[in-house]
Amino acid sequence: LKTSPVGSGPYIIDPSSSAGSQEVFVANPNYWDKSKIKFKKITFKVMADATARLNALLSGQIDATLLDTKTSPTAKGRGFTQYLNNVDWQGLLMFDRAGKINVNLKNVKVRQAINMALDRPALLKAIGEGFGVVTQQVFPTYSAGYVKALDSYYKYDVAAAKKLLAEAGYPNGFTISMPSITAFTGPAKPALMAAQLKAIGITVDYTDESFATFFTNLLTPKYPAYWMQLERSGNEWQHINFLMSDTAVWNPEHYSDAKSASLIGQIQAAAPAARPALLKKLNTYIVEQAWFAPFYAAEANFAYNSKKVNVKVQPGNAVPYIFNFTPAN
């Protein structure tokens, strides 16, 4: 199965594909619904670099691709159709809420002060280059758990943040360790976030990680907090078990408290009609308790040649499903 996958969908892999450089799929002659087959052949070219993908799109080598904030304006300027979708959120994950690695984060006032120290519009402009929407919650707008008022729950206020730190017992601030990958982000982005926390007395001690060790050390966990970009799923139960439950992948300390555990249990058992109100309660509680410090909802930039293909993009996905592509003619 690793070398000759067997599939039952409208397309099957062509065994002549060059694994690692491109994958070719052809129409399945035995598929039960011929109306679902829109192409004789679909070729996926493997291109990790966004500039290479842009050049391939501009030259006609490919018909559709995911771009980034640096390459998207060029595609737009050359007349390619774009779909902008806020599928991810970027910000701080403060998973050491039990204070096992850094006791300071156990105090909710410290986590709230960090939220108040962040100039989110400035971070969006500098880090996201303006591609995104400022937010303070991890639930997306198309989720039943979304609460509009939470997007502005914490006011950017350095003086008030310092006061909260003093009330928490840290009038002179403290030091917190975090990882970074400057080979990927460059030095400016980590420095900007560190400068905003420094303004309230929190010193960030960065360890420059390699790609080989980064995720292993994050999920061990080695650090009390870190800056990440993760999905904002519209499937609320999936989102909870991705980020918030005591078994969630991105809750490596398996943190839980009585109220969050109770709400998650109620959501799991609730009838569909009762679930939205409970999801909103959970979202509000998580924001109030400052489990995270979101900066903004990042914008995914999917570009395509509308002269060649028609594309429908569903909420929550950066890249459309295969069945959402049809020939333009």
Side-chain angles (χ1 to χ4, degrees):
L1 288 176
K2 289 182 178 180
T3 56
S4 300
V6 176
S8 60
Y11 301 97
I12 54 177
I13 196 165
D14 184 337
S16 66
S17 289
S18 176
S21 61
Q22 70 176 29
E23 303 287 351
V24 178
F25 290 80
V26 295
N28 184 351
N30 300 315
Y31 191 62
W32 68 277
D33 186 353
K34 302 299 183 188
S35 69
K36 294 291 191 295
I37 299 176
K38 305 297 183 181
F39 302 93
K40 292 181 179 179
K41 182 173 71 172
I42 299 174
T43 301
F44 290 92
K45 294 181 180 292
V46 181
M47 298 179 178
D49 182 70
T51 301
R53 297 197 298 272
L54 172 66
N55 291 335
L57 183 68
L58 297 179
S59 64
Q61 296 178 54
I62 59 176
D63 300 312
T65 190
L66 187 67
L67 299 177
D68 59 16
T69 57
K70 295 185 183 299
T71 53
S72 177
T74 302
K76 183 178 180 180
R78 294 284 290 273
F80 288 89
T81 304
Q82 288 186 306
Y83 183 85
L84 306 178
N85 194 3
N86 301 117
V87 296
D88 292 341
W89 67 277
Q90 188 166 142
L92 278 177
L93 282 83
M94 295 184 285
F95 64 81
D96 191 25
R97 297 179 287 274
K100 295 179 180 179
I101 303 171
N102 188 316
V103 68
N104 309 296
L105 287 185
K106 185 176 182 179
N107 193 311
V108 65
K109 290 185 177 182
V110 170
R111 303 194 302 268
Q112 291 170 339
I114 289 173
N115 269 279
M116 295 170 69
L118 299 172
D119 184 351
R120 289 171 171 85
L123 289 168
L124 173 59
K125 183 178 180 181
I127 299 174
E129 300 182 50
F131 288 91
V133 179
V134 168
T135 188
Q136 297 183 23
Q137 59 188 307
V138 298
F139 282 87
T141 56
Y142 43 84
S143 165
Y146 177 76
V147 180
K148 185 175 177 57
L150 296 178
D151 278 332
S152 54
Y153 185 83
Y154 293 102
K155 181 183 177 183
Y156 172 55
D157 191 329
V158 171
K162 286 182 175 180
K163 183 180 178 182
L164 268 182
L165 277 186
E167 290 174 3
Y170 307 104
N172 299 316
F174 58 86
T175 298
I176 187 169
S177 61
M178 292 189 197
S180 68
I181 307 182
T182 53
F184 178 67
T185 64
K189 292 179 180 179
L192 176 62
M193 190 185 69
Q196 294 202 356
L197 293 182
K198 186 68 174 177
I200 66 168
I202 297 176
T203 300
V204 179
D205 179 18
Y206 281 119
T207 298
D208 200 25
E209 292 274 2
S210 68
F211 281 109
T213 60
F214 185 65
F215 286 101
T216 300
N217 284 339
L218 284 187
L219 298 175
T220 301
K222 179 180 177 181
Y223 301 98
Y226 47 90
W227 165 28
M228 275 292 289
Q229 180 167 316
L230 295 172
E231 70 167 315
R232 304 169 82 209
S233 176
N235 181 323
E236 292 85 12
W237 188 243
Q238 173 186 317
H239 200 39
I240 287 168
N241 286 287
F242 178 70
L243 199 60
M244 298 163 230
S245 72
D246 59 4
T247 58
V249 174
W250 290 100
N251 182 8
E253 285 192 8
H254 309 296
Y255 177 83
S256 181
D257 61 25
K259 186 165 184 177
S260 66
S262 173
L263 284 168
I264 290 172
Q266 291 177 62
I267 290 166
Q268 183 179 20
R275 199 166 292 137
L278 292 168
L279 287 163
K280 286 178 171 60
K281 286 183 180 180
L282 176 64
N283 188 14
T284 300
Y285 178 70
I286 283 171
V287 172
E288 290 173 348
Q289 290 293 304
W291 281 23
F292 313 104
F295 304 159
Y296 54 85
E299 206 163 66
N301 305 276
F302 190 82
Y304 60 95
N305 185 346
S306 58
K307 295 178 181 179
K308 300 287 291 294
V309 292
N310 294 320
V311 179
K312 291 182 180 180
V313 185
Q314 57 285 335
N317 283 52
V319 177
Y321 297 126
I322 288 178
F323 53 74
N324 280 355
F325 287 88
T326 56
N329 57 4

